[in-house]
Amino acid sequence: MSTTETSPQDPQAPTVEVLSARDVPLGGPRAMTVRRTLPHRNRRMIGAWCFVDHYGPDDVTRTGGMDVAPHPHTGLQTVSWLFTGEIEHRDSLGVHAFVRPGELNLMTSGHGICHSEVSTPATTVLHGVQLWVALPDEHRDTARDFHHHVPEPRTLDGGRARVFLGTLAGHTSPVPTFTPLLGAELVLDPHATLTLTVDPAFEHGVLVDHGEARLAGTDLHPGDLGYLAPGATTLTLTNTTGSPTRLVLLGGTPFEEQIVMWWNFIGRTHDDILRAREEWQAAADRFGTVQGYPGARLPAPELPGIPLKPRGRTR
């Protein structure tokens, strides 16, 4: 579902498009359920952000937690950000790392990589977001890479921020990106209003993790993703509750290339995806192998019977 609203108090306020999530099983036969807001039937991307999964709080003693067997990626970066819990990451670059609350793990697939993600035995509650960034055509076959960064919390007038990608409120993440991007966790104090200076060349999305927020006069509820088109120099958020509200702010310059996104691959043509799938199924060197995961890797699903078509930012 998607709605477009303007503030009833201020008819000059920017138009906010509200994207609601759909439930999706993640990770094969031992799937956990996530709430997916991008890609959406009305809007596929915000900047180069092309995939937003929001999950938890998930009681892993009841659900079994996250266990995603080795699987491939091409043409994208994965951005892992947790609020609660811990995830063990292994990839074919040889990286063995942990995703922890307030710590960024960014993996670049480029031409090809594979990895596994498993919540650790010490985790009782799992809660976070999994995000993808599409690589521009000139960089989509770049080499595998991995970055870990722990952003310092920044105190703002009305809340706090952790900037994990890009620049916000005077803080810049050192993690490199291939297109201009912004990614930050925001916590708004009870009944507080926070106004942030933002790049007018960026489009922005605000995902509500918990609590309630008002973006440019439009109310957002848990799980909603509010979208703002480029043009604004400030972004105003209000916590409409008596408890802290947590948000994830995403932004970037509009991604003007058309892409084909299917399963875990991003390409530009149906043949790109077909070739990647065939090479994964054949255990080709393109993706390498994950060492240390106690189980088989995920097989690729069957391709649809019709050619996959490139699509732009909106449907």
Side-chain angles (χ1 to χ4, degrees):
M1 179 178 177
S2 172
T3 60
T4 301
E5 302 179 17
T6 56
S7 167
Q9 293 83 20
D10 181 7
Q12 300 304 313
T15 298
V16 177
E17 182 181 356
V18 181
L19 309 178
S20 56
R22 64 190 188 279
D23 289 345
V24 177
L26 176 72
R30 289 174 286 184
M32 62 178 285
T33 298
V34 302
R35 298 176 295 279
R36 183 165 298 166
T37 46
L38 282 184
H40 191 273
R41 66 188 181 195
N42 296 319
R43 182 163 302 280
R44 297 180 60 85
M45 305 178 76
I46 298 174
W49 299 102
C50 61
F51 183 90
V52 175
D53 272 0
H54 179 210
Y55 54 88
D58 183 22
D59 179 358
V60 303
T61 62
R62 181 178 59 84
T63 65
M66 179 181 291
D67 188 346
V68 185
H71 58 282
H73 289 293
T74 62
L76 58 89
Q77 294 176 298
T78 63
V79 176
S80 300
W81 186 259
L82 277 181
F83 306 126
T84 309
E86 183 181 62
I87 296 171
E88 185 175 24
H89 164 101
R90 298 176 184 269
D91 67 36
S92 55
L93 188 62
V95 174
H96 179 207
F98 291 87
V99 186
R100 298 186 174 100
E103 301 183 7
L104 169 72
N105 278 9
L106 181 148
M107 183 185 74
T108 301
S109 67
H111 185 63
I113 199 170
C114 61
H115 71 136
S116 63
E117 300 162 288
V118 181
S119 51
T120 61
T123 296
T124 56
V125 175
L126 193 62
H127 186 189
V129 290
Q130 181 68 49
L131 314 167
W132 290 1
V133 176
L135 293 174
D137 191 57
E138 62 179 318
H139 296 296
R140 67 186 176 99
D141 287 321
T142 193
R144 303 168 188 164
D145 201 3
F146 185 91
H147 289 271
H148 175 79
H149 173 55
V150 184
E152 294 183 7
R154 311 286 289 191
T155 300
L156 308 175
D157 184 12
R160 296 171 302 284
R162 293 180 186 268
V163 182
F164 51 85
L165 287 178
T167 298
L168 184 72
H171 182 69
T172 299
S173 167
V175 178
T177 60
F178 291 89
T179 57
L181 287 177
L182 171 62
E185 175 187 312
L186 303 175
V187 177
L188 303 185
D189 296 334
H191 299 298
T193 293
L194 177 63
T195 298
L196 299 165
T197 299
V198 294
D199 190 332
F202 280 25
E203 50 188 359
H204 292 90
V206 176
L207 175 70
V208 181
D209 172 52
H210 70 73
E212 305 275 342
R214 184 171 295 135
L215 169 63
T218 296
D219 290 332
L220 301 176
H221 308 290
D224 285 346
L225 178 63
Y227 168 82
L228 280 175
T233 57
T234 60
L235 188 150
T236 299
L237 294 157
T238 299
N239 180 354
T240 57
T241 75
S243 302
T245 286
R246 182 163 54 205
L247 313 168
V248 177
L249 173 61
L250 304 175
T253 53
F255 194 87
E256 302 297 355
E257 299 177 26
Q258 291 195 327
I259 63 173
V260 178
M261 186 163 68
W262 178 83
W263 194 42
N264 298 310
F265 305 132
I266 291 182
R268 296 301 183 275
T269 67
H270 176 89
D271 286 346
D272 288 343
I273 304 300
L274 175 62
R275 185 163 50 252
R277 183 190 181 280
E278 289 176 343
E279 291 182 89
W280 172 248
Q281 293 296 89
D285 291 341
R286 174 176 183 175
F287 298 101
T289 57
V290 173
Q291 301 296 324
Y293 178 82
R297 62 189 201 145
L298 284 180
E302 294 295 328
L303 279 163
I306 58 175
L308 300 168
K309 294 182 179 180
R311 298 183 184 273
R313 297 160 49 219
T314 57
R315 291 181 186 258

